[in-house]
Amino acid sequence: MKILVCISKTPDTTAKIAFTDNNTKFAADGVQWIINPYDEWYALVRALELKEKDASTVLHLINVGGADAEPVIRKALALGGDEAIRVNSDSRDSFTIASQIATHAKSVGYDLILTGKETIDYNGSSIGGMVAELLDMPYISLATKLELSGTTATVTREIEGGEEIAEVSLPLVVACQKGMAEARIPNMRGIMAARTKQLKVIEPVAVEALTSISSFGLPPAKAGVKMIPAEQAEELVRLLHEEARAI
Amino acid sequence: MSVLIYIDHADNQVKKSSLEALSYGSDLAKQLGTEADALILGTVEDDLALLGKYGVRNVYQVSNPQLNQLDAQVFTAVIADAISKTGADTIVFSGNATGKAVAPRLSARLKAGLVTGAVALPDTANGFTVKKTVFSGKAFAFVQLLSPIKIISVNPNSYSVKEGSGSAEISSLDITVPAPKVKVTATNKVSGSVPLGEAEIVVSGGRGLKGPENWGMIEELAGLLGAATACSRPVADSHWRPHHEHVGQTGLAIAPNLYIAVGISGAIQHLAGVNRSKVIVVINKDPEAPFFKQADYGIVGDAFEVMPKVIDAVKKLKGK
């Protein structure tokens, strides 16, 4: 069994969001970078659990990013995985990134490719589906559970108002979210081992981008809160009905 | 040259999020000086001609019942075929669970630029640029689509449904449906409750409620308002409430008309999941809770004293 987990580098969940260069670039100064939580807590940890059940499993991590992504890739390797591949590209176009992952995946032939359901910076929710299409594999998005039995996967995915359970034969691409696994903290042994694990850097293939970000903006600030004394809580209902027309 | 809107359905009915996509797609067609058509895969009991009320000229249907269950790979092949048959060059999805599964595949298949999480109509004066949310709702980006075919996935609850009059022409598309690789074995729906992602009103509880046994008042208020219930991450992590109720940066991001947060302090990760709500009410006993800065209405007080008063007032309002 060969598993590939896609890892993205994102700002910390508490990072201040601001933009520079006439609102065309994310203000990265002083920002703490982390593994995208969906990639780490759910995709990577579930892959590690599968590897723990079957020691013959080969687990690779892939990142499409610049050299500045390497500390985050090492952090992922500290949690586990046999080796990592970094495709040396700064592209922010989902199709370009997915094409790099698909090109590498084709050369190795993975049975299972896991991604997070989205990154917490660009919120594209696109990479998994695009990789699956480029590799002509089935795809399950918003997955909350994944069990393997031989070459058959049983996957639970979120739908509006509930969940759906499906059986799919490998190879398969799955986008993971909450429920898939519990977050782990790397231990000292893992951190030490990660230093010597292979981090291969490969050059990107030429792909024409389908999108480009022209600029960023911040939502307008709230006008301010209207406070209602606790002893007149019923006044809230009147305001919501007559003023906000929300109920 | 036309706009094609993908219509999603469940339990034999067209989803509300698809009506938003229809309104978005029809308005976009007007802006581009072209026509809007709809595409539905599978079968529903709804009268599809009525989708004309939302401004579409034709409803194309591939009525193979196999398409009542999602296999993103199969759907992508069928939709791609429908696009070439209808000559559409702008495709609109709702960014719901089906849209998230299918739109990226279609983008890769057709080499068509995709923007997900769209919150407004594109700016087509100079190129084709779509406003979308990024950084989990903390910012937005203007994304330019560079390809001849363009795909837009619209954030649920961010474009109002506009209902007019009119009737759409229904025509059946003759498309070969490939055999599915995904076999759906079970569907579990929480019956009777409002799906969180589609809810107009959400009542949400946090750690301030002290324990799962105190959720009665959240459920009672939600029941009176026809609202969905939600919770903060610590509540889901402590298993007081099921994980699917968790809203926030690592849970579900929602954008209801009204979000009522009870006993939630408003950590930045929680705000990221709810800050697109139109009206936010915060009830918290800590006057320093950061959530008050993001709220429209606030009450500093003990939830156990405030909530019964609010519930009584809603009962009076609703005549119950």
Side-chain angles (χ1 to χ4, degrees):
Chain A
M1 171 80 57
K2 286 183 192 160
I3 304 178
L4 180 68
V5 176
C6 307
I7 297 290
S8 186
K9 178 193 96 168
T10 61
D12 181 61
T13 54
T14 57
K16 182 176 156 48
I17 305 304
F19 303 97
T20 61
D21 292 26
N22 208 11
N23 281 332
T24 56
K25 265 195 195 135
F26 174 62
D29 275 2
V31 167
Q32 194 77 12
W33 296 95
I34 59 169
I35 311 167
N36 177 44
Y38 293 108
D39 301 346
E40 176 185 350
W41 301 347
Y42 309 124
L44 176 56
V45 176
R46 186 64 192 131
L48 294 173
E49 289 172 354
L50 293 171
K51 188 175 161 71
E52 283 156 11
K53 276 190 202 159
D54 173 6
S56 69
T57 300
V58 174
L59 174 55
H60 290 175
L61 317 182
I62 188 166
N63 168 270
V64 180
D68 57 353
E70 293 201 355
V72 163
I73 303 172
R74 289 278 174 211
K75 213 182 131 199
L77 282 171
L79 283 161
D82 300 304
E83 62 173 69
I85 299 99
R86 176 171 72 82
V87 185
N88 190 29
S89 160
D90 281 325
S91 177
R92 294 262 57 97
D93 172 54
S94 303
F95 179 70
T96 307
I97 295 169
S99 300
Q100 306 306 333
I101 295 170
T103 303
H104 166 77
K106 215 174 264 174
S107 73
V108 177
Y110 295 98
D111 303 290
L112 183 63
I113 300 176
L114 301 181
T115 71
K117 76 157 179 171
E118 65 184 59
T119 58
I120 62 166
D121 49 7
Y122 295 98
N123 307 117
S125 283
S126 300
I127 300 298
M130 288 181 173
V131 168
E133 186 66 24
L134 292 167
L135 296 172
D136 198 22
M137 288 183 188
Y139 172 54
I140 306 283
S141 56
L142 303 175
T144 54
K145 279 190 198 109
L146 165 66
E147 296 295 339
L148 290 183
S149 165
T151 57
T152 303
T154 304
V155 192
T156 305
R157 76 175 181 103
E158 180 195 305
I159 55 173
E160 280 79 27
E163 59 179 31
E164 186 177 87
I165 302 163
E167 280 178 11
V168 201
S169 290
L170 301 181
L172 169 69
V173 182
V174 180
C176 308
Q177 63 164 337
K178 192 156 196 151
M180 187 61 82
E182 295 290 337
R184 290 183 183 184
I185 297 164
N187 57 29
M188 194 42 81
R189 214 173 119 217
I191 295 167
M192 298 302 283
R195 290 185 185 170
T196 52
K197 283 181 187 169
Q198 196 181 17
L199 198 172
K200 253 192 274 182
V201 179
I202 57 176
E203 287 307 311
V205 290
V207 178
E208 205 164 323
L210 302 176
T211 63
S212 117
I213 296 179
S214 322
S215 64
F216 293 97
L218 295 170
K222 281 261 176 191
V225 56
K226 191 177 267 189
M227 297 303 290
I228 299 141
E231 50 279 8
Q232 291 163 29
E234 62 283 352
E235 175 69 1
L236 170 70
V237 176
R238 190 189 68 80
L239 287 169
L240 287 177
H241 182 61
E242 292 174 12
E243 187 179 83
R245 297 183 183 278
I247 59 175
Chain B
M1 277 282 290
S2 61
V3 175
L4 187 66
I5 302 129
Y6 173 77
I7 303 301
D8 193 21
H9 58 94
D11 306 322
N12 280 314
Q13 288 178 328
V14 170
K15 288 185 190 168
K16 179 193 154 225
S17 52
S18 286
L19 302 184
E20 296 167 6
L22 276 169
S23 300
Y24 182 101
S26 304
D27 287 348
L28 174 56
K30 270 182 224 143
Q31 185 181 320
L32 294 169
T34 177
E35 298 289 338
D37 301 316
L39 171 67
I40 185 161
L41 308 190
T43 55
V44 287
E45 282 165 3
D46 289 341
D47 180 0
L48 291 173
L50 294 178
L51 296 183
K53 288 194 298 189
Y54 307 99
V56 287
R57 178 183 55 170
N58 295 297
V59 177
Y60 298 111
Q61 186 172 23
V62 185
S63 50
N64 185 327
Q66 183 200 311
L67 297 169
N68 289 336
Q69 287 188 330
L70 175 71
D71 179 329
Q73 198 170 14
V74 171
F75 275 44
T76 303
V78 172
I79 296 170
D81 207 349
I83 290 167
S84 74
K85 281 195 163 70
T86 61
D89 61 357
T90 308
I91 322 300
V92 176
F93 284 89
S94 163
N96 64 10
T98 308
K100 281 184 172 149
V102 177
R105 289 198 78 118
L106 190 66
S107 165
R109 185 183 187 99
L110 302 176
K111 308 256 180 299
L114 163 69
V115 59
T116 61
V119 291
L121 286 173
D123 178 355
T124 51
N126 186 8
F128 196 105
T129 306
V130 191
K131 183 180 179 180
K132 70 158 288 183
T133 57
V134 289
F135 295 97
S136 309
K138 284 179 253 181
F140 51 84
F142 292 93
V143 179
Q144 206 175 348
L145 298 183
L146 307 168
S147 50
I149 298 182
K150 298 166 176 74
I151 307 175
I152 303 171
S153 174
V154 185
N155 245 348
N157 275 349
S158 56
Y159 202 80
S160 341
V161 176
K162 286 175 206 152
E163 212 177 302
S165 57
S167 178
E169 187 89 16
I170 303 165
S171 43
S172 173
L173 285 184
D174 185 20
I175 289 176
T176 312
V177 179
K181 291 187 200 161
V182 175
K183 193 178 136 218
V184 177
T185 54
T187 304
N188 306 322
K189 284 209 178 179
V190 188
S191 59
S193 68
V194 185
L196 189 48
E198 292 192 358
E200 300 274 351
I201 304 177
V202 174
V203 185
S204 188
R207 254 185 310 195
L209 289 172
K210 297 194 167 65
E213 65 281 7
N214 297 322
W215 242 260
M217 54 192 188
I218 297 287
E219 282 165 349
E220 186 178 4
L221 182 59
L224 288 167
L225 294 172
T229 53
C231 68
S232 64
R233 181 168 166 213
V235 166
D237 283 354
S238 314
H239 303 293
W240 293 0
R241 299 295 291 178
H243 275 311
H244 63 78
E245 281 199 3
H246 163 201
V247 291
Q249 185 145 22
T250 52
L252 194 67
I254 55 171
N257 267 328
L258 174 61
Y259 183 71
I260 302 176
V262 186
I264 301 176
S265 64
I268 190 164
Q269 294 92 337
H270 185 75
L271 295 176
V274 302
N275 57 10
R276 288 188 300 114
S277 309
K278 289 194 184 73
V279 177
I280 295 180
V281 173
V282 172
I283 299 170
N284 203 298
K285 68 176 182 194
D286 175 10
E288 300 299 319
F291 216 155
F292 284 117
K293 290 201 177 73
Q294 300 296 322
D296 299 281
Y297 299 97
I299 297 181
V300 176
D302 187 339
F304 297 93
E305 286 164 21
V306 172
M307 283 295 278
K309 285 185 192 157
V310 172
I311 288 168
D312 277 349
V314 172
K315 277 185 186 160
K316 268 184 212 142
L317 178 74
K318 302 268 175 188
K320 283 177 188 165

